[in-house]
Amino acid sequence: MDGARAASRLRVVLGHLGCPSAAAVIAHPTSGAVPSASFHPQFQYTRDNNVLSLEQRKFYEENGFLVIKNLVSDADIKRFRNEFERLCRQEVKPAGLMLMKDVTIAKSKYAPSEKVITKAQDFQEDEELFRYCTLPEILKYVECFTGPNIMAMHTMLINKPPDSGKKTSRHPLHQDLHYFPFRPSNSIVCAWTAMEHIDRNNGCLVVLPGTHKGTLKPHDYPKWEGGVNIMFHGIQDYDENNARVHLVMEKGDTVFFHPLLIHGSGQNRTQGFRKAISCHFASANCHYIDVKGTSQENIENEIVSLAEKLYGVKEGVSLKDVWRFRGRLVKGQRVNL
């Protein structure tokens, strides 16, 4: 799909012809976890199936995340790494893909390479990278949180660079639900796979266990002296005494976590680039909400403005339209999203 076809697809979405839609639902000023009647009474955040052990379910219910060791093969990770390098060299240019740079080099004139690009976002049109979102070993676990109808909603390959000394390689503490205009939150999960050994030295994920039980908090850009990367919104007010867990992971390890879980990552103090690949999945039975007048309105304005520049479409684009454009069915039936 080339750029013209991408713009055409977005116009179809804007015309509400691309997929069935649910009735409009108004969001509250902040949107917390929404229990679903389809869950076992003992469990609010996981589904009944034979994949997770009782111990694993209880851990996720209590903490909001679960690490599965050695889930993705070395062979697949090598293929994803090779495709990322091709994207960085601009040998392939999938429609809708955003190649992002660290704020410290955003205006530089370096030749495109792996050492310049810090994130490949929205790779749903790249057949090789999108394979990650369809791996049976990934979907087997995703279904434990979303049920059988699964949409891949947001894709990223993160290439955290060595920090320049301005601490811009870190990611502020945030909740992913801030970016999503669909609910219920309990039917959304992120799969995040380490593409190499990841620890505190090269900027591993840090999570605040149990915070998925709270509500969505207001987010905005943190006031960091060295600058902040585009769309790196952070929570403005959180309990600094909350326990933190740094997720040391090996290549192929995958963490699944709830969209209300507060998390972030530290700066990369090594000379290498720290890579991870991820996808946010949601039940196709989820519904869209209107975020105007809520704490999410600021990110809607930013994402919509960016989408208009990327696709040249200025026909009343909404955050919901952007996510309809990004979403892809990976299992079951496309119901609402």
Side-chain angles (χ1 to χ4, degrees):
M1 181 186 280
D2 57 22
R5 287 178 61 197
S8 176
R9 173 180 160 82
L10 184 55
R11 289 189 180 95
V12 169
V13 169
L14 290 172
H16 308 293
L17 299 176
C19 61
S21 60
V25 177
I26 306 300
H28 295 291
T30 56
S31 304
V34 182
S36 171
S38 64
F39 292 88
H40 189 283
Q42 183 184 354
F43 299 109
Q44 185 177 347
Y45 305 102
T46 56
R47 308 266 176 160
D48 291 326
N49 61 28
N50 297 320
V51 176
L52 297 181
S53 68
L54 181 60
E55 181 182 7
Q56 288 174 323
R57 291 189 74 177
K58 287 182 175 179
F59 186 91
Y60 188 91
E61 293 281 331
E62 181 62 27
N63 295 284
F65 71 96
L66 180 68
V67 177
I68 304 297
K69 304 294 288 184
N70 196 30
L71 185 62
V72 179
S73 72
D74 288 356
D76 277 326
I77 288 175
K78 183 178 181 179
R79 289 178 61 174
F80 300 147
R81 181 184 289 269
N82 289 343
E83 181 68 1
F84 175 71
E85 292 173 0
R86 293 181 67 219
L87 291 172
C88 291
R89 294 192 299 265
Q90 297 186 350
E91 294 176 8
V92 287
K93 298 180 180 180
L97 180 78
M98 287 180 58
L99 295 178
M100 306 174 79
K101 300 178 182 179
D102 187 84
V103 64
T104 57
I105 60 170
K107 296 181 180 180
S108 70
K109 296 183 179 179
Y110 294 127
S113 76
E114 180 189 2
K115 295 184 178 181
V116 175
I117 303 302
T118 60
K119 184 188 293 185
Q121 183 162 288
D122 299 332
F123 57 69
Q124 65 272 3
E125 292 294 342
D126 186 284
E127 184 177 345
E128 180 63 16
L129 287 185
F130 194 72
R131 279 197 320 107
Y132 171 77
C133 307
T134 65
L135 291 175
E137 57 267 40
I138 291 288
L139 294 180
K140 179 176 89 169
Y141 284 96
V142 168
E143 189 169 346
C144 300
F145 311 102
T146 64
N149 299 317
I150 306 173
M151 295 286 294
M153 298 299 293
H154 184 225
T155 53
M156 294 188 296
L157 194 153
I158 304 145
N159 187 42
K160 185 187 281 283
D163 198 85
S164 65
K166 296 186 177 181
K167 302 180 180 179
T168 55
S169 65
R170 57 186 167 161
H171 198 302
L173 291 174
H174 64 284
Q175 297 164 297
D176 290 339
L177 193 67
H178 171 64
Y179 298 89
F180 304 153
F182 40 89
R183 301 292 189 274
S185 60
N186 291 350
S187 294
I188 304 168
V189 71
C190 179
W192 193 100
T193 299
M195 295 178 65
E196 57 202 290
H197 174 80
I198 296 178
D199 58 25
R200 295 186 70 171
N201 288 324
N202 60 4
C204 66
L205 286 180
V206 57
V207 300
L208 278 58
T211 51
H212 66 301
K213 299 176 184 178
T215 58
L216 179 60
K217 299 180 180 295
H219 289 59
D220 210 335
Y221 283 108
K223 296 176 175 61
W224 289 349
E225 291 183 6
V228 185
N229 285 303
I230 183 172
M231 290 190 285
F232 272 32
H233 288 198
I235 291 174
Q236 301 300 292
D237 181 26
Y238 61 91
D239 183 2
E240 296 185 0
N241 295 318
N242 201 108
R244 300 187 183 193
V245 174
H246 292 85
L247 300 182
V248 176
M249 300 170 68
E250 300 300 331
K251 181 166 64 172
D253 291 354
T254 302
V255 59
F256 296 89
F257 60 90
H258 192 281
L260 281 169
L261 181 74
I262 297 175
H263 67 287
S265 64
Q267 58 186 300
N268 182 357
R269 297 184 175 90
T270 72
Q271 294 305 305
F273 287 74
R274 187 274 274 161
K275 290 182 176 60
I277 187 169
S278 74
C279 179
H280 283 89
F281 297 91
S283 167
N285 300 83
C286 285
H287 55 261
Y288 285 103
I289 64 170
D290 185 353
V291 302
K292 293 193 184 304
T294 77
S295 65
Q296 293 178 258
E297 188 167 8
N298 60 347
I299 193 63
E300 175 179 46
N301 294 336
E302 188 169 349
I303 291 176
V304 166
S305 176
L306 192 60
E308 289 176 345
K309 291 178 182 177
L310 281 174
Y311 305 114
V313 177
K314 296 184 179 180
E315 304 174 11
V317 181
S318 70
L319 188 60
K320 177 170 64 175
D321 297 321
V322 173
W323 284 106
R324 278 182 173 161
F325 172 71
R326 287 170 166 170
R328 297 290 186 277
L329 182 72
V330 289
K331 186 174 182 180
Q333 295 182 323
R334 189 166 190 170
V335 182
N336 291 328
L337 293 185

